[in-house]
Amino acid sequence: MMALLGSLVHVEVDRPIGYQHGDLRYPVNYGYIPGRMAGDGEEQDAYILGVAQPVSSFDGQVIGIIFRRNDVEDKLVVAPEGTA
């Protein structure tokens, strides 16, 4: 997973900024990297930072990885290329 840091990736956004999921309103664009499988058997999830409007897809650079103790899947943090 650490080898992904600095990599350029394409994210398909299925929960754009403002998306309402129960009591949670997404403050950032959130999606997945098509074709890259994660620990939960689904495509790798990613948060997009540095983009202030809702988008449907995004090409950017992996600037971080969120390792979660209570989840089998880590989350990638993606930002516009060159902002890290």
Side-chain angles (χ1 to χ4, degrees), residues 29-73:
N29 290 293
Y30 178 81
Y32 60 93
I33 299 174
R36 178 154 190 97
M37 304 311 285
D40 65 355
E42 300 289 328
E43 291 173 306
Q44 179 64 56
D45 291 337
Y47 297 104
I48 300 171
L49 300 183
V51 177
Q53 69 278 353
V55 296
S56 59
S57 65
F58 180 77
D59 293 311
Q61 186 173 23
V62 178
I63 63 165
I65 302 168
I66 299 171
F67 298 101
R68 297 167 20 139
R69 293 182 199 190
N70 62 344
D71 197 341
V72 297
E73 178 189 15

Side-chain angles (χ1 to χ4, degrees), residues 5-16:
L5 282 174
S7 298
L8 299 179
V9 295
H10 175 78
V11 180
E12 285 296 323
V13 176
D14 54 4
R15 297 177 192 149

